[in-house]
Amino acid sequence: MAATQAKPILVAVDGSEPSWQALETALQLAKLMDRPVEVLHVVQRVSAGYFSFIDRHLREEQEAYGSKVLAEAQERGKKAGVPVAPHLLESGKDPSAAILSYLEQAGPVKFLVLGTYGHGFVARHILGSVTERLIREVATRGLPVPILIVPGKAAES
């Protein structure tokens, strides 16, 4: 089966080390299974309140960061010899809402790959809140999407 006709492997990347580890795992599996990879990055709409120019600046900054993360993901895919399709998503609340919406509209996927935690301070000590919500919501909504959780590697001393 050609990679372009196969169900893609999705991976959510936020630029944190665990998310890059999830991407590397997704790329290795995609190469073995002859599957394309779709990389998702979520920009959270942040409102500073009364100052629209600050809101615009924050949004532009987040979109630039997201584009940088997705470009890095594409470069890693190219080095691994795996086709990577980037997707910059938006969410007004939690990144999991945007990822769930994407899963509901994307059609069949092989599976979703996530890191154990992302950029949050507390989340570094437990399973990430976005990862936890995605696991719970995929099951609750009955979405036919297996989820692969890639544990973060411990920092070397």
Side-chain angles (χ1 to χ4, degrees):
M1 180 184 295
T4 56
Q5 298 172 342
K7 290 192 254 181
I9 295 172
L10 270 58
V11 59
V13 178
D14 65 4
S16 65
E17 188 55 36
S19 73
W20 291 125
Q21 292 168 7
L23 175 65
E24 293 302 323
T25 298
L27 292 172
Q28 290 172 4
L29 291 171
K31 190 162 185 145
L32 288 171
M33 300 171 76
D34 194 26
R35 306 264 174 185
V37 170
E38 294 187 18
V39 179
L40 311 177
H41 179 82
V42 181
V43 172
Q44 287 185 264
R45 288 179 297 225
V46 178
S47 177
Y50 299 109
F51 304 106
S52 63
F53 70 93
I54 293 175
D55 290 346
R56 186 177 61 249
H57 176 71
L58 289 172
R59 181 185 179 99
E60 290 170 356
E61 200 172 271
Q62 285 186 326
E63 287 174 355
Y65 177 74
S67 295
K68 180 180 172 187
V69 167
L70 291 173
E72 172 69 19
Q74 283 187 294
E75 185 60 34
R76 290 181 185 212
K78 187 183 287 186
K79 286 180 183 175
V82 176
V84 171
H87 300 279
L88 189 62
L89 309 177
E90 266 190 31
S91 177
K93 296 180 182 180
D94 184 275
S96 63
I99 295 169
L100 285 164
S101 177
Y102 185 86
L103 287 172
E104 290 174 332
Q105 298 170 9
V109 299
K110 188 64 177 171
F111 49 84
L112 172 65
V113 183
L114 301 168
T116 49
Y117 58 84
H119 281 299
F121 174 73
V122 174
R124 292 174 190 257
H125 303 290
I126 56 175
L127 186 65
S129 60
V130 171
T131 300
E132 180 189 348
R133 278 190 205 101
L134 283 167
I135 293 168
R136 187 175 56 246
E137 286 297 317
V138 163
T140 301
R141 296 177 189 200
L143 296 174
V145 180
I147 300 177
L148 173 64
I149 308 301
V150 178
K153 295 178 184 171
E156 294 182 23
S157 308

